[in-house]
Amino acid sequence: MATIRSNQNARGAAARRSARGGRMGQISYMRDPDLEHSFEVGDTVEVYCDHEKDKDRIRGWLKGIIVQIDNKMIAVQFRSNVFLTDGWMVPDRILWYPVNSEHIRAMPGKKPKKEKELPDY
């Protein structure tokens, strides 16, 4: 009887998996995200944050490099010390920002790279 029960449990689990789709679906949005800038890993950006300048802690725009992009977040790494809003220094100098944050912007004067369009064959 133990084998019959385990087979029934296995069939039941497979049916439940197939009813749910089995795989994770695409991320759906209520509306398309409005992106002023489309950032890529390696882009140089300016971020409004607490940072160290001439051994003083100030809040202002600081140049950084995008090191990771997620569906919702962008990670920016800096060469100088940066701080969280509650005063703690970030040891790896990486801050995360939402994709649509007003505290991150493309470097002024830098034009986005135009990619060459490849012909369709």
Side-chain angles (χ1 to χ4, degrees):
M1 287 235 176
T3 57
I4 295 172
R5 287 184 186 160
S6 65
N7 288 341
Q8 287 175 347
N9 288 341
R11 273 188 265 135
R16 282 192 300 274
R17 255 185 270 123
S18 65
R20 282 188 257 151
R23 292 183 180 224
M24 203 178 252
Q26 292 287 338
I27 297 173
S28 60
Y29 297 97
M30 292 173 57
R31 61 180 173 81
D32 288 338
D34 299 327
L35 299 177
E36 282 185 31
H37 304 285
S38 59
F39 296 113
E40 293 182 6
V41 172
D43 287 351
T44 304
V45 294
E46 282 188 324
V47 173
Y48 192 73
C49 63
D50 290 345
H51 61 278
E52 206 171 71
K53 185 175 182 180
D54 299 327
K55 297 186 180 183
D56 290 328
R57 184 174 161 183
I58 62 168
R59 184 157 179 84
W61 292 98
L62 179 65
K63 183 172 109 174
I65 298 173
I66 296 178
V67 292
Q68 187 173 344
I69 298 178
D70 195 330
N71 290 330
K72 297 179 181 180
M73 303 291 283
I74 296 176
V76 182
Q77 188 169 28
F78 305 94
R79 292 185 184 260
S80 62
N81 291 331
V82 291
F83 301 90
L84 299 176
T85 53
D86 60 356
W88 290 92
M89 187 179 77
V90 180
D92 59 1
R93 298 179 177 171
I94 295 176
L95 295 177
W96 286 85
Y97 288 90
V99 173
N100 57 356
S101 175
E102 66 273 0
H103 296 291
I104 186 169
R105 66 183 183 193
M107 284 290 294
K110 297 276 184 172
K111 295 181 181 175
K113 297 176 186 174
K114 285 185 113 179
E115 293 185 20
K116 296 179 184 177
E117 290 188 32
L118 297 176
D120 292 330
Y121 292 108

